[in-house]
Structure formats: C-alpha cells, structure tokens
Amino acid sequence: MEQTSAERDGYSREDIDAPDNLVRIPTLKHWEITGWYMTKNRDFNYLTPREYLKGKGWDARRKVGIDALIRFEVLKP
C-alpha cells in the first residue's frame, strides 16, 4: 500500500508501518511500481491506480498493492 496516499486518507502510521504491510524491494522495482501507480490504466476505468484508490478501503488498497508487486515480479503469485 502506498504510504502517502494512505496517510492522506486517514490511515494511521501504525497501520501503514505494520510488518504485514512492509516489503523491501529494489530501487528500480520501486520506480517501476511508482510509475505504474501514476499511469492511467484500463483496469481502473482509465484512472491511475492512485486516482482509483483515493477514498477506498484498506482491503482494496492492499489488493492493488499486492497485485502490483506480483506484476513487477517482486512477489510470486
């Protein structure tokens, strides 16, 4: 889950920084995922993932985040 957008939507630092919400990734993968979050996407009605997730709940944010980690081969499916 993206930290800044989650914090802006009122999630606590405790939730955001919880061990089950953190994963270490290489810098290049981080840049690729960040770029993906800023790119309009057909899967989200041509909104960026960030725009789509604004105001959404924890489960939706977590699902999109895990899907991004799998898409960019940080996690295995």
Side-chain angles (χ1 to χ4, degrees):
M1 173 180 311
E2 285 198 304
Q3 293 185 24
T4 303
S5 64
E7 198 167 35
R8 284 185 187 144
D9 279 348
Y11 290 96
S12 72
R13 288 303 318 177
E14 183 177 84
D15 289 336
I16 295 167
D17 294 331
D20 67 337
N21 191 48
L22 298 177
V23 63
R24 293 183 72 91
I25 63 173
T27 301
L28 182 57
K29 292 291 183 181
H30 178 2
W31 293 342
E32 290 174 336
I33 293 168
T34 298
W36 178 80
Y37 266 93
M38 296 185 308
T39 303
K40 292 184 186 291
N41 188 313
R42 187 172 75 192
D43 294 336
F44 302 109
N45 276 340
Y46 295 97
L47 297 172
T48 69
R50 282 189 182 138
E51 292 167 334
Y52 171 78
L53 290 171
K54 188 172 185 177
K56 295 273 194 292
W58 187 265
D59 291 338
R61 292 168 180 268
R62 185 171 174 85
K63 181 184 181 327
V64 170
I66 289 172
D67 289 348
L69 292 171
I70 292 169
R71 175 187 305 259
F72 289 95
E73 300 178 344
V74 175
L75 296 177
K76 292 183 180 182

